[in-house]
Amino acid sequence: SWWEYYMPLRDLPLQYRVAFIFYVCLTIFGVLNVVTGVFVDTAMQANIKCRHVVIRDALEAKKKLLKELKNVFFEMDENSDGIVTREEFDEKLQDEQVIAYFKSLNLDVTDTRTLFRLIDSDNSASIDVMEFLNGCYDLQGEARSIDAKIMKMQLQRLLGISERMLERTNALGPAGPIPKTC
């Protein structure tokens, strides 16, 4: 206890007692500062570990999802040729379990034709396993505002290109101007 060390200073002048109290306060402040530093360092290390855990969990979840999607693909591929045709796709999307699985991914399976075209990235009228995995993974989840803004930006760019093409075509031809439809 600091009091035991302070008692002998009672008979000394005031400045010694004040110096002693100042020393005690400074020592306590220093110890608290070190303890706080240890807690902060521990929290920072835990945060770094948590970040690694979150990244690892996200990668494991992606791996699990892709494995499940691969299983769904092979269920759809009835003739085991590694390709899912439009007919196989439509037929399998009549199965309640497959519908429920796609709904769990927030994929709307009511319009199978559009969904098939979105997944068929090479427009071959058939889907291989990589197209299926990439397409379903990219389409899963809710549309975000950034997705809508990207689409709007791309549509504006295409509209600008088509307007410039129309102007050039109108400027070229003696057959008369082409009516503007937009």
Side-chain angles (χ1 to χ4, degrees):
S1 162
W2 293 105
W3 187 251
E4 294 174 18
Y5 298 105
Y6 180 75
M7 289 306 287
L9 297 176
R10 278 187 310 172
D11 299 331
L12 295 176
L14 178 65
Q15 64 262 25
Y16 291 109
R17 292 183 300 216
V18 171
F20 180 75
I21 291 173
F22 179 74
Y23 169 75
V24 170
C25 290
L26 190 63
T27 304
I28 290 172
F29 178 75
V31 169
L32 288 177
N33 197 15
V34 169
V35 170
T36 303
V38 169
F39 280 125
V40 168
D41 187 53
T42 304
M44 297 284 285
Q45 293 300 322
N47 186 27
I48 290 171
K49 288 178 185 175
C50 286
R51 193 175 316 143
H52 292 301
V53 169
V54 167
I55 291 169
R56 186 190 71 222
D57 289 348
L59 291 175
E60 286 177 7
K62 179 180 179 181
K63 192 177 193 180
K64 181 182 176 192
L65 174 67
L66 290 176
K67 184 179 179 183
E68 291 172 2
L69 284 171
K70 191 181 271 190
N71 291 338
V72 170
F73 175 84
F74 288 122
E75 281 182 34
M76 288 182 164
D77 185 18
E78 293 177 348
N79 58 2
S80 301
D81 62 352
I83 301 289
V84 172
T85 62
R86 172 83 197 281
E87 293 77 26
E88 289 174 318
F89 190 78
D90 288 341
E91 181 181 322
K92 214 43 162 166
L93 284 177
Q94 302 306 314
D95 182 359
E96 290 296 321
Q97 289 182 338
V98 174
I99 292 171
Y101 182 72
F102 276 97
K103 282 188 178 180
S104 74
L105 296 175
N106 290 326
L107 285 173
D108 182 18
V109 292
T110 56
D111 187 2
T112 59
R113 175 172 295 182
T114 302
L115 182 60
F116 186 86
R117 286 195 343 241
L118 287 171
I119 294 174
D120 183 20
S121 60
D122 63 359
N123 298 321
S124 64
S126 62
I127 301 172
D128 65 21
V129 68
M130 290 310 295
E131 278 181 308
F132 184 78
L133 294 177
N134 290 333
C136 288
Y137 188 77
D138 289 344
L139 292 174
Q140 72 165 339
E142 302 287 331
R144 300 173 308 213
S145 62
I146 190 170
D147 297 327
K149 288 184 182 199
I150 289 171
M151 283 182 51
K152 182 179 177 183
M153 181 185 68
Q154 289 173 340
L155 285 173
Q156 287 174 340
R157 185 174 157 264
L158 287 173
L159 182 62
I161 290 171
S162 63
E163 286 175 350
R164 285 192 298 273
M165 287 176 56
L166 186 61
E167 289 171 3
R168 288 180 186 162
T169 306
N170 284 340
L172 285 177
I178 298 174
K180 196 173 191 178
T181 59
C182 295

